[in-house]
Amino acid sequence: MGSRQIVTVAALAIGIGVFGAGPAFADEGSGNSQPGKAMTETSRKICRILIPTGSRMTTRICRTQAEWAKSMDKAQESMLRYQSTQQSGYAH
């Protein structure tokens, strides 16, 4: 595996730790047009400010709680798959 892939996976692991515990801001333009109707916890928009690796520019990404959870699950699954591949592929 090349050093570029290792750096990518390392950045992903760091991103999981940093962005998973990052600040969350409620999106005021979430589309709830009925003020008396309460939104469920999973459908409420949560915006996070992300800083891509190697950049000073920030990006604001808004998703529902369910979408953030799915994204975190995919990242963790990818990291576990990478780690298991590295352990089984190394034979000396």
Side-chain angles (χ1 to χ4, degrees), residues 49-60:
I49 297 173
L50 306 178
I51 303 172
T53 303
S55 176
R56 294 186 206 174
M57 302 292 289
T58 60
T59 303
R60 184 175 182 200

Side-chain angles (χ1 to χ4, degrees), residues 54-69:
S55 176
R56 294 186 206 174
M57 302 292 289
T58 60
T59 303
R60 184 175 182 200
I61 299 177
C62 299
R63 298 179 181 162
T64 63
Q65 180 63 36
E67 290 171 335
W68 282 114

Side-chain angles (χ1 to χ4, degrees), residues 30-57:
S30 62
N32 188 7
S33 61
Q34 299 174 354
K37 193 173 189 178
M39 294 181 66
T40 63
E41 192 65 29
T42 57
S43 66
R44 185 174 58 99
K45 289 278 188 171
I46 298 173
C47 296
R48 295 184 181 169
I49 297 173
L50 306 178
I51 303 172
T53 303
S55 176
R56 294 186 206 174
M57 302 292 289

Side-chain angles (χ1 to χ4, degrees), residues 6 16 40 73-74 81:
I6 292 171
I16 290 170
T40 63
D73 288 345
K74 281 180 74 173
R81 187 174 35 244

Side-chain angles (χ1 to χ4, degrees), residues 1 4 9 13 17 19 23 34 54 61 68 82:
M1 179 166 278
R4 184 178 179 129
V9 172
F19 300 131
Q34 299 174 354
I61 299 177
W68 282 114
Y82 170 76

